[in-house]
Amino acid sequence: MRHLRRDDFRFPPIYLDVDGDVEEFTDFPAIAKAYAESVVEGREPACRYVKLACKRYLRMLRRAADPNAPFTFSPAHAVDFLDFWEKCPVGDNWRGENYVEKEPFQVFIGCSIYGFRRKDRWQSRWVNWVYLEIPRKHDKSGTAAVIGLYDGLFTLSKEPNIIIGAASEDQAKYVFNAAARIISEETELAETHKIEVTQKIIRFGKNRGLMQKLATIPKNQDGWNPSTIILDELHSQNPGLYQVLKSAMGARSNQLMFQITTAGRQAWGLGWEERTNAIRVLQGENVDDRMFALIFTVDDEDLKDEKRLLTDEDIWIKANPMWGVSIDPDSVRSFAQKARFSPVDREEFFRTRLNIWSNAATGLVDPQAWAECADPTVTLETMVGRKCWIGVDLSHYRDMTAIVFLFEELGYQTPIFGRFYLPESSPTLQSPNLHALMMDWHDRGELIIQPTGKIDLDALRRDILVYCEVFDVQSIGYDHAAGGSELFKTLYEDDGIEYVFDFPNRPTTMTVPTEDLMASIASRQLVHDGSECLRWHMLNAVGDIRANGTILPKKDGPNSERKIDGFVAAVMANAMRMGAEGIKARKKSKEVVDPYLKRGLLGAETVSNGSL
């Protein structure tokens, strides 16, 4: 298997008018169309998502020819951008070449973003939102830099403002430095447009534009008016900064949000949200032809065979459109060999070379299947009075506590919801990696942050009592080993909640309800409200599968910050619903009778008889 290359797409040149003169150019639109057709027809190796993107492109070309469509396709605009891209020097690459023809998939990207134009504003592109997911060593930063420079120099925006958003200064410098290097090597370009490069800003003197890095949330969040926003490695972006930049979209007619990334280290958060939306657009579930989405990865069936993922080069080629161009096959083979014997290398190989989000191949829950179980119209509030089974994974002191609800079926789907609690002093809340995420979930109402030093059991008790009032609770499962004995003793003995059951978190008890839960998700027989916090917990769980076939859900590492409390609580709730083996009914404490009331003080009779 091999990718079709530029030499496979040779067409007669296209002639375009440039300032009154007719000039000869490469027919990039013909290459893009031929590439899309080759993917759709199966002559170009590609995953399902690339095939969907190509089908969508061909449909948009047909729509663009319709006089009633709000957009058209302009070969001149596509050619102008791609001609500029080919004249920009590339960074270090395996072949050691400084100027290269763009490969067919790159031409496809350029035509998709710059070829479609608004009919009411000819100078404004139609596509204004881009999600591009591609493995490492495909010149992501260089691509982003070229788009930033082109938009800063040639899109006729008034005082263009190109913002490079990143999680840190170090991350932002990759795109920024790539742009600076192009300018330093293209002296004529720099002189013509009076470009000045400093450590933090690139100024375009001719049109008073600039390109700047932004890695922290600015104190003054108002007044941002970017013409183009570039987000490199979207999976690691600061959610707060992202929201600031996103809110600035819409002020200009020709704005572009350009997001480019490899797969993330965890299938949750900002990057995963954007990926999920991109997939829905590709699949036609969300109609948004102003978004361009392209995801290079493997197919779902490839994920089922880890051995093939580590040995089958046809799978590797499918995920890497620059195989043999910027990707050295020998280095990939060497990496794969190490990955066979090292779990750490294996996860990185899957993530960086095949664009498999971490845990997507090894987690107990398939991220895509979970996403497809979402239905925002099904809410916890609509479950009032319905039969319910509850699982509680209680933390000892300062960790996260999860309460998960399973309800009787709606149609053929079982509704599931989660509520989560975290003490203010919890290390999870203080973690630099998780703080912004926790606060976002708190703002959404998915996570309750308790103003306490440790988990507030009284508050949990009050909430559980409310749940028992508004839902028809059949049973509540908990694990006494997790420190919940006192809480559930109080619920049972003082509050009269007699349907509380101890369910030990052990392989022998957890296997059956875990397998049933996984099957319900895979078959889309579960439905949830799209809670980000619950999804995080569900996708964090990996399986410790024993030789005897039992499964114990666990975290991906002993020191991992990724919590699985919600998954464990979901399994407990499912065990209650199934009546699984291992459930132990709680017994009331024996009445303690003061022995002195029965027989008096020991030896009192002996003393009175004068025996002592």
Side-chain angles (χ1 to χ4, degrees):
M1 181 186 289
R2 76 172 186 89
H3 285 292
L4 298 173
R5 293 296 172 213
R6 183 67 173 270
D7 286 338
D8 297 306
F9 297 97
R10 293 298 175 189
F11 296 94
I14 188 174
Y15 296 91
L16 299 171
D17 184 284
V18 180
D19 297 328
D21 295 325
V22 177
E23 295 186 15
E24 179 182 298
F25 295 93
T26 300
D27 193 349
F28 292 112
I31 296 173
K33 185 172 183 286
Y35 170 80
E37 291 171 340
S38 298
V39 169
V40 172
E41 294 166 4
R43 290 182 285 112
E44 163 70 0
C47 71
R48 173 173 172 266
Y49 298 134
V50 175
K51 292 176 182 177
L52 289 173
C54 289
K55 288 179 180 178
R56 188 165 173 261
Y57 178 80
L58 295 173
R59 284 198 303 270
M60 287 187 67
L61 283 181
R62 291 192 293 269
R63 271 197 73 200
D66 183 346
N68 296 319
F71 62 90
T72 187
F73 186 85
S74 167
H77 284 89
V79 167
D80 193 55
F81 168 73
L82 283 155
D83 184 66
F84 173 77
W85 194 358
E86 288 202 341
K87 290 176 181 176
C88 291
V90 299
D92 293 336
N93 63 91
W94 176 56
R95 297 189 302 179
E97 300 173 5
N98 201 28
Y99 296 89
V100 297
E101 290 184 327
K102 297 302 116 181
E103 291 299 320
F105 87 94
Q106 294 172 306
V107 176
F108 172 71
I109 292 170
C111 287
S112 296
I113 299 173
Y114 288 92
F116 295 102
R117 316 300 294 185
R118 293 179 57 161
K119 279 186 178 176
D120 58 343
R121 297 174 186 172
W122 181 247
Q123 292 301 330
S124 296
R125 65 188 133 222
W126 179 251
V127 170
N128 63 2
W129 201 279
V130 175
Y131 179 86
L132 177 57
E133 186 178 309
I134 195 163
R136 189 168 291 176
K137 300 299 181 184
H138 282 78
D139 196 28
K140 294 192 308 300
S141 298
T143 301
V146 170
I147 284 176
L149 286 175
Y150 184 84
D151 281 9
L153 297 172
F154 303 115
T155 55
L156 302 183
S157 294
K158 184 178 181 181
E159 298 182 6
N161 183 8
I162 316 300
I163 293 179
I164 303 169
S168 66
E169 282 281 340
D170 285 342
Q171 182 63 51
K173 74 181 182 182
Y174 290 111
V175 174
F176 186 88
N177 289 352
R181 181 183 51 75
I182 291 171
I183 294 167
S184 68
E185 294 187 28
E186 296 299 312
T187 54
E188 183 178 347
L189 181 73
E191 291 173 0
T192 301
H193 293 275
K194 301 177 182 179
I195 304 175
E196 176 190 357
V197 180
T198 68
Q199 286 190 340
K200 293 187 176 182
I201 294 178
I202 296 174
R203 299 185 187 278
F204 309 123
K206 191 173 181 180
N207 61 11
R208 293 183 296 177
L210 56 86
M211 177 184 289
Q212 60 182 317
K213 297 178 284 186
L214 191 61
T216 56
I217 302 174
K219 292 181 180 179
N220 179 12
Q221 297 188 8
D222 299 322
W224 290 94
N225 190 21
S227 50
T228 298
I229 298 169
I230 295 171
L231 299 176
D232 189 17
E233 296 299 1
L234 182 64
H235 65 86
S236 63
Q237 291 288 331
N238 181 321
L241 177 62
Y242 176 82
Q243 291 301 327
V244 169
L245 294 176
K246 183 179 178 181
S247 67
M249 290 288 289
R252 296 183 185 233
S253 63
N254 200 30
Q255 283 182 309
L256 176 68
M257 172 73 84
F258 183 79
Q259 304 167 121
I260 189 167
T261 189
T262 52
R265 288 187 169 82
Q266 184 59 28
W268 53 267
L270 170 62
W272 185 259
E273 286 182 32
E274 285 297 305
R275 183 186 201 265
T276 300
N277 181 57
I279 291 172
R280 286 173 177 159
V281 169
L282 289 173
Q283 294 178 160
E285 298 168 27
N286 292 350
V287 179
D288 183 3
D289 52 21
R290 302 203 67 182
M291 179 182 191
F292 172 67
L294 187 61
I295 300 172
F296 287 95
T297 182
V298 302
D299 287 303
D300 290 345
E301 56 266 27
D302 300 324
L303 296 174
K304 299 174 183 178
D305 191 338
E306 188 173 283
K307 183 178 180 181
R308 281 193 63 222
L309 286 173
L310 293 169
T311 57
D312 191 338
E313 291 196 10
D314 284 349
I315 293 178
W316 306 347
I317 291 170
K318 180 169 57 175
N320 290 271
M322 293 287 270
W323 184 268
V325 181
S326 63
I327 301 294
D328 180 0
D330 286 337
S331 69
V332 178
R333 294 178 188 123
S334 176
F335 193 178
Q337 182 67 24
K338 294 177 182 177
R340 293 173 201 172
F341 305 101
S342 167
V344 175
D345 287 337
R346 189 177 310 134
E347 181 174 331
E348 278 301 285
F349 178 79
F350 289 160
R351 187 179 72 84
T352 62
R353 297 300 187 181
L354 304 182
N355 252 0
I356 300 172
W357 288 65
S358 295
N359 283 9
T362 59
L364 290 174
V365 175
D366 173 34
Q368 190 58 37
W370 179 259
E372 291 175 5
C373 290
D375 182 352
T377 66
V378 179
T379 65
L380 189 60
E381 290 72 21
T382 63
M383 297 292 115
V384 172
R386 298 185 68 85
K387 286 185 179 179
C388 172
W389 295 266
I390 296 177
V392 182
D393 189 26
L394 191 67
S395 68
H396 279 283
Y397 297 106
R398 296 194 298 158
D399 205 351
M400 190 175 289
T401 287
I403 299 179
V404 171
F405 312 83
L406 282 175
F407 288 87
E408 59 184 320
E409 289 186 359
L410 285 174
Y412 70 94
Q413 290 183 303
T414 301
I416 182 172
F417 305 93
R419 288 294 179 266
F420 300 89
Y421 301 78
L422 196 63
E424 202 170 47
S425 65
S426 170
T428 300
L429 188 60
Q430 309 308 320
S431 166
N433 299 322
L434 299 177
H435 178 78
L437 200 62
M438 298 298 128
M439 295 308 298
D440 180 46
W441 292 339
H442 173 65
D443 293 341
R444 295 187 190 197
E446 298 179 14
L447 173 66
I448 297 169
I449 296 178
Q450 298 176 326
T452 53
K454 62 180 182 179
I455 201 73
D456 186 345
L457 295 180
D458 288 336
L460 282 179
R461 175 192 174 194
R462 290 193 297 270
D463 285 357
I464 291 173
L465 289 174
V466 170
Y467 298 141
C468 291
E469 287 181 11
V470 297
F471 306 129
D472 184 9
V473 179
Q474 304 297 297
S475 55
I476 302 172
Y478 71 100
D479 179 10
H480 78 276
S485 293
E486 281 304 311
L487 170 62
F488 289 97
K489 177 182 176 182
T490 303
L491 285 169
Y492 184 79
E493 297 187 355
D494 295 351
D495 300 316
I497 307 299
E498 297 186 352
Y499 38 84
V500 291
F501 299 91
D502 181 14
F503 187 73
N505 184 356
R506 299 172 186 158
T508 52
T509 56
M510 296 288 280
T511 298
V512 173
T514 297
E515 289 179 334
D516 182 79
L517 186 69
M518 291 164 56
S520 296
I521 296 169
S523 61
R524 287 32 171 200
Q525 289 181 311
L526 218 63
V527 61
H528 58 81
D529 60 358
S531 164
E532 293 296 325
C533 191
L534 178 59
R535 178 174 66 179
W536 185 62
H537 285 260
M538 299 299 288
L539 300 188
N540 286 341
V542 299
D544 183 7
I545 303 176
R546 311 294 178 85
N548 62 1
T550 58
I551 301 175
L552 183 66
K554 65 175 186 177
K555 297 194 294 185
D556 57 358
N559 299 316
S560 175
E561 292 185 316
R562 303 167 188 167
K563 306 299 182 184
I564 66 167
D565 310 84
F567 185 92
V568 173
V571 172
M572 290 179 176
N574 197 39
M576 297 299 106
R577 184 184 65 87
M578 297 173 63
E581 293 184 11
I583 298 173
K584 298 179 181 179
R586 185 170 189 94
K587 296 180 181 179
K588 286 195 175 182
S589 304
K590 292 182 179 179
E591 183 180 357
V592 178
V593 179
D594 189 337
Y596 301 133
L597 297 178
K598 280 190 169 185
R599 58 171 172 76
L601 292 171
L602 183 64
E605 183 180 340
T606 306
V607 173
S608 64
N609 291 334
S611 300
L612 291 178

